[in-house]
Amino acid sequence: MSHREKDFFVGYLPMSPGLRRSTAVLAAVLCTIVLLAGVGWSMLHGDPGESLEPIGDQPEIRGVFRARPYPHVVQATATGSSTLLLVGSGKGGARIGELDDGQGVRVSGTLLTRDGTRIVEGPDLAPAELSPEIRDSLTVSGPEPRAVTLTGEIVDSKCYFGRMRPGGGRVHRACAQICIEGGVPPILVVRNADGQEQHVVLASEDGGPCNEDVLPFVAEPVRVRGTLHRVSGLDWLWIDPADIERL
């Protein structure tokens, strides 16, 4: 019997030594290709940020609840105030219950953060009394609003700030659209030449939510014109959807 005939594969017969060696070599080559492809694909994505998982449960945060454009809490800090966006535990906005805008609250939940911007996931909110000193520190006005044109990518804040990897780019587009449609605040991520990020929460021209308006532009490079408001350490961009331009 010739060598070619010995290596012929028959399903109900044992595999010949030559065919076993060829199969082992082929399997090793394929595994190496898959490994290298995975490494190369991961290198195409940017830094996912400092918080891929929740930092931890916060025992208590006190501040003033604000309902618009999206639920958030303004918290007193040593240098003034900061803003914490609120999002739900699932793919949607936070469930607030019977709270009035401007009411003092105590909030606990899971904190997500990226480059200084913070989000509380699954917040538990309860009315709380705030001292006059704390309320005074939270009413300091920010700089005057100004017209700007910014270039970046629209993402859903919850996933981008730690709940998913990656939380941005085309691979995350479908998930981001579901989250934003469910009420998660949309954020424009603007990067400078050094790769540093600016996070700008998008809102409608009247200071309300704009979730539905930005859905077609999620995960794409865009240029956005609007009015920039900086309040309690967070940037808000009031926009007309007609002023969003794909690049």
Side-chain angles (χ1 to χ4, degrees), residues 16-40:
S16 69
L19 195 55
R20 281 200 299 270
R21 287 193 297 271
S22 299
T23 303
V25 171
L26 179 60
V29 171
L30 290 177
C31 288
T32 302
I33 291 174
V34 171
L35 178 62
L36 293 176
V39 172

Side-chain angles (χ1 to χ4, degrees), residues 105-223:
V105 293
R106 182 178 66 254
V107 54
S108 60
T110 301
L111 186 66
L112 307 174
T113 184
R114 183 162 182 158
D115 293 337
T117 307
R118 299 182 298 161
I119 293 176
V120 177
E121 179 192 24
D124 181 13
L125 301 173
E129 292 295 327
L130 301 179
S131 68
E133 292 78 13
I134 290 180
R135 283 198 172 272
D136 288 344
S137 69
L138 299 178
T139 57
V140 178
S141 60
E144 286 294 319
R146 57 191 178 91
V148 298
T149 299
L150 301 175
T151 299
E153 176 190 346
I154 298 175
V155 302
D156 76 279
S157 52
K158 177 179 176 177
C159 289
Y160 192 76
F161 282 74
R163 263 307 175 194
M164 293 289 287
R165 177 174 182 167
R170 297 286 298 184
V171 295
H172 188 252
R173 176 182 172 87
C175 180
Q177 287 178 321
I178 293 173
C179 289
I180 291 174
E181 189 173 25
V184 173
I187 282 184
L188 180 69
V189 179
V190 181
R191 298 180 179 89
N192 64 17
D194 297 326
Q196 295 177 322
E197 294 184 355
Q198 176 187 8
H199 304 136
V200 184
V201 186
L202 300 178
S204 64
E205 285 187 301
D206 62 355
C210 67
N211 301 66
E212 294 290 336
D213 296 326
V214 303
L215 286 180
F217 305 97
V218 171
E220 297 183 13
V222 293
R223 181 181 295 114

Side-chain angles (χ1 to χ4, degrees), residues 4 33 51 53 58-59 72 91-92 111 130 135 167 172 177 209 230:
R4 181 180 298 274
I33 291 174
S51 176
E53 296 295 336
Q58 305 304 302
H72 62 281
K91 290 184 176 297
L111 186 66
L130 301 179
R135 283 198 172 272
H172 188 252
Q177 287 178 321
R230 184 166 182 82

